Amino acid sequence: MPPGQAVRTRHRPLYYGPVPAFRPGRWDFRVMGATEDLGSYRWTWEEFADLPRTDTVSDFHCVMRFSVPDVVWSGVRAVDLVAAAPPDPEVTHVMAWGEYGYSANLRLDDFLAEDVVLATHRGGVPLAPENGHPLRLVVPHLYGWKSVKWLRAVEYMTADRRGFWEERGYHNRAEAWREQRFSHQEEPGQGPPL
C-alpha cells in the first residue's frame, strides 16, 4: 500500500453533487481539444460498447487515506481510445470531464499508462450509479479524484490546467505513492499557479 493508506474492502462511495440519471438514448462520449486532425470524436452508448474491451485488476487509492485492493475493472483502455482519436503531437495533458462540469487534469503519460481504463464494469457487473455508471475513468497510480465518475469527455490540451479539486487545494499531480494530496505540497513546476 502507498504510505498513509489503510486497506478497506467496503466503503461508502464518495462524490460531489447528485448521482446523475443515465439516459442511454441521449448519452454520448466525446474526445475534443487538440486532436491530430483538429476535429472532435463522438460515440453513442451503443458505439462506445463496440470499442475493444479489456479486464484489468488494480488497487484503488482514495485521498481520504484508504485503499481497496485488487479491484477488477472492465472497459476500454485509454491507449485504445487514443488510437481511435489521436492527439496532436503537442498534447501534454488531458482534462477528463464528468457530468455537471466536474473535471480532473492528468499528464498525458499518466493517462496512457497501461492499466488506465474507461470502465463500464467493476467486479464483473455494470458500475453502480454511485460508482460512476455508465462510465468512469480509472487511473490506479493516482488518487481516486483523478478517476472521474460519470465520464463524458476527454479534452486534449497542449498545456496544463487545473481541474475541479485541483482548483480547490488538492495536489495537481496526485501520485499516491508520493502522498501528493494537497497543493501546499507541490514543488515548483508540478502545476499551474492557483
Side-chain angles (χ1 to χ4, degrees):
M1 287 292 110
Q5 298 293 104
V7 173
R8 190 184 296 174
T9 55
R10 294 185 149 287
H11 67 92
R12 191 181 119 258
L14 303 171
Y15 46 87
Y16 181 84
V19 173
F22 174 51
R23 296 175 180 90
R26 294 173 42 190
W27 187 92
D28 65 2
F29 179 77
R30 296 174 187 263
V31 174
M32 57 194 179
T35 62
E36 186 177 64
D37 63 4
L38 301 179
S40 63
Y41 298 81
R42 178 185 175 271
W43 292 266
T44 65
W45 178 240
E46 293 79 18
E47 291 166 341
F48 192 86
D50 287 338
L51 291 174
R53 303 187 56 77
T54 192
D55 296 331
T56 185
V57 178
S58 60
D59 298 339
F60 181 83
H61 308 296
C62 182
V63 73
M64 302 303 287
R65 300 194 177 274
F66 69 86
S67 294
V68 181
D70 301 324
V71 181
V72 179
W73 302 100
S74 302
V76 177
R77 292 182 322 148
V79 293
D80 292 333
L81 178 74
V82 168
D88 183 89
E90 300 296 315
V91 169
T92 57
H93 292 78
V94 302
M95 187 71 76
W97 290 98
E99 293 281 0
Y100 308 129
Y102 178 84
S103 61
N105 60 318
L106 300 111
R107 295 176 296 172
L108 183 61
D109 289 346
D110 288 326
F111 185 68
L112 293 177
E114 196 62 31
D115 56 357
V116 173
V117 65
L118 287 72
T120 57
H121 290 69
R122 178 181 173 180
V125 297
L127 293 169
E130 64 273 10
N131 282 323
H133 179 74
L135 185 66
R136 80 171 294 163
L137 181 62
V138 177
V139 187
H141 64 286
L142 302 181
Y143 285 121
W145 84 82
K146 296 285 191 176
S147 293
V148 174
K149 294 177 183 175
W150 310 297
L151 187 67
R152 294 299 301 273
V154 169
E155 177 188 359
Y156 295 149
M157 304 186 300
T158 58
D160 198 4
R161 189 171 82 235
R162 291 180 187 267
F164 181 86
W165 286 117
E166 296 81 11
E167 289 179 339
R168 289 159 177 81
Y170 278 42
H171 199 286
N172 194 55
R173 292 176 74 177
E175 293 182 36
W177 288 94
R178 294 184 181 182
E179 276 197 282
Q180 295 175 334
R181 298 176 192 276
F182 304 108
S183 60
H184 68 81
Q185 299 170 304
E186 292 176 12
E187 300 292 332
Q190 288 185 328
L194 280 168

